Amino acid sequence: MQQENQNYKSGFISIIGRPNVGKSTFLNRVIGQKIAIMSDKPQTTRNKIQGVLTRSNSQMIFIDTPGIHKPKHKLGEFMFKVTKNTLREVDLVMFMVNAEQDLGKGDEFILEMLEGNTTPVFLVVNKIDQVHPDELAKFINSYKDKYPFKEIIPISALEGNNVENLLETIESYLPGGPQYYPADQVTDHPERFIISELIREKILHLTREEIPHSIAVVIDKIKRDEENENKIRVQATIMVERDSQKGIVIGKQGSLLKQVGTQARKDIEMLLGSKVYLELWVKVQKDWRNKQSQLRDFGYREDEY
């Protein structure tokens, strides 16, 4: 714990917003490595993911939350509850919006959710590299009177534009406090969780619309190879809801599953700093997103939030 610096600041920052506005891209940029999966498909983040940024005079703990949308099943209800609960436990809220998308019903829904909130809220306008400055000014004006934002800061999480200014502004709002995590720790999630997310990310990239939100990845085993100490064996099961989805994930003669394994293994090796032997299986669990017991088994636990 940080004790020596009397001016040290620390705090928790929740990143909220509609699906696919760039929350995970921002988190990975400021942390400096991939801890949150990225996809062009919405609702890819399911649990809250804490990223820790330690600087000389501060420590910021960012919480990347599932994209806010009206729930359609028990998994959706879980994701919404995770996001709403984080608002009560943070020092600052970043409401991230996409400069390419006009203010819509989803944004209005979030603004209603923020009503009565006493935590400072920043409006963070992402993807400014994709729009003309005149359009950006109009976009910001459409939000200005909707909520008493403490700050409105435009950024490009992908390119890094104005991100440092955002971090410095956040730091200025944080209360004095201790260093909660060691300086070299970048997330509070165990390696198992991040590995399962890296595998799930590859499936999101490689499959069609019907598959992405019907999958969960369970890590069965992580252990050093008995024959080669420099290699780690990872065994994982990909859960789907229907037999037809199992066929799609496996692919013709196992081709798609092999692609998933090849791409995921590279990221897992970077994470673990070791050679990895990755074994993947695909299993059908009918309608698992609507079954509380299976949600718990797959790591979506309400009692942890």
Side-chain angles (χ1 to χ4, degrees):
M1 299 283 279
Q2 178 87 17
Q3 300 290 351
E4 297 173 13
N5 187 346
Q6 296 299 311
N7 298 316
Y8 201 82
K9 292 180 151 197
S10 60
F12 292 78
I13 304 103
S14 180
I15 313 170
I16 67 170
R18 281 162 64 184
N20 210 23
V21 295
K23 300 185 295 293
S24 297
T25 304
F26 169 79
L27 185 63
N28 290 336
R29 170 166 284 280
V30 298
I31 299 308
Q33 70 182 69
K34 182 184 284 190
I35 62 169
I37 70 172
M38 296 183 291
S39 169
D40 58 359
K41 299 177 176 73
Q43 286 123 42
T44 49
T45 299
R46 288 179 176 171
N47 280 335
K48 64 178 185 180
I49 297 173
Q50 290 192 184
V52 184
L53 175 63
T54 304
R55 290 151 69 103
S56 57
N57 289 309
S58 67
Q59 187 171 77
M60 306 176 206
I61 300 99
F62 290 96
I63 304 173
D64 178 18
T65 59
I68 297 174
H69 63 290
K70 292 196 174 177
K72 295 177 182 174
H73 40 62
K74 286 194 181 295
L75 176 59
E77 289 171 11
F78 168 85
M79 290 158 65
F80 179 71
K81 191 172 285 188
V82 166
T83 300
K84 198 163 183 182
N85 286 350
T86 62
L87 298 180
R88 298 200 302 262
E89 58 191 41
V90 296
D91 301 287
L92 192 146
V93 174
M94 278 174 51
F95 175 23
M96 186 174 286
V97 293
N98 178 353
E100 295 181 288
Q101 297 174 341
D102 291 338
L103 193 154
K105 287 184 179 178
D107 301 300
E108 298 277 9
F109 181 60
I110 294 169
L111 289 165
E112 285 173 23
M113 192 177 78
L114 288 170
E115 279 180 16
N117 179 56
T118 56
T119 307
V121 179
F122 285 14
L123 179 69
V124 178
V125 182
N126 191 22
K127 306 191 183 184
I128 59 169
D129 54 309
Q130 300 297 315
V131 296
H132 189 276
D134 292 344
E135 292 301 313
L136 180 61
K138 285 183 196 172
F139 180 90
I140 290 172
N141 282 333
S142 70
Y143 275 89
K144 266 187 174 175
D145 300 326
K146 296 284 185 181
Y147 189 87
F149 297 107
K150 293 293 185 184
E151 302 282 349
I152 298 177
I153 301 177
I155 67 164
S156 169
L158 188 64
E159 301 293 333
N161 303 350
N162 214 33
V163 169
E164 180 57 31
N165 175 48
L166 171 59
L167 294 175
E168 288 176 3
T169 309
I170 289 171
E171 189 175 272
S172 72
Y173 275 78
L174 292 182
Q179 181 178 307
Y180 291 100
Y181 295 95
D184 59 353
Q185 185 170 337
V186 296
T187 182
D188 71 334
H189 273 297
E191 287 173 343
R192 275 176 177 267
F193 173 83
I194 299 174
I195 290 170
S196 71
E197 287 287 271
L198 292 173
I199 296 168
R200 191 165 69 89
E201 178 186 54
K202 306 314 172 195
I203 302 167
L204 291 177
H205 282 309
L206 293 167
T207 55
R208 299 197 299 270
E209 280 302 311
E210 67 190 273
I211 298 295
H213 309 304
S214 301
I215 60 165
V217 178
V218 178
I219 304 301
D220 303 308
K221 191 178 288 186
I222 302 174
K223 66 173 184 177
R224 286 276 170 195
D225 192 285
E226 292 174 5
E227 296 176 7
N228 184 350
E229 276 294 309
N230 296 320
K231 206 168 206 179
I232 295 174
R233 296 179 75 91
V234 177
Q235 297 174 337
T237 302
I238 299 162
M239 301 293 184
V240 295
E241 292 187 312
R242 295 193 297 275
D243 291 323
S244 60
Q245 294 169 343
K246 180 176 180 179
I248 292 168
V249 171
I250 292 172
K252 191 175 181 180
Q253 297 180 324
S255 58
L256 194 133
L257 191 62
K258 186 176 180 182
Q259 272 186 280
V260 170
T262 300
Q263 292 182 19
R265 180 176 50 77
K266 291 175 183 175
D267 278 355
I268 297 168
E269 286 180 342
M270 285 184 67
L271 176 72
L272 301 179
S274 177
K275 288 287 183 187
V276 167
Y277 178 68
L278 177 62
E279 295 176 89
L280 298 175
W281 289 270
V282 184
K283 185 176 178 182
V284 177
Q285 288 278 10
K286 305 281 186 188
D287 199 28
W288 67 264
R289 287 182 294 173
N290 273 314
K291 293 177 180 172
Q292 200 68 51
S293 61
Q294 290 186 350
L295 286 174
R296 290 180 64 83
D297 288 346
F298 298 163
Y300 306 113
R301 297 173 179 269
E302 286 188 15
D303 55 4
E304 292 179 6
Y305 299 93

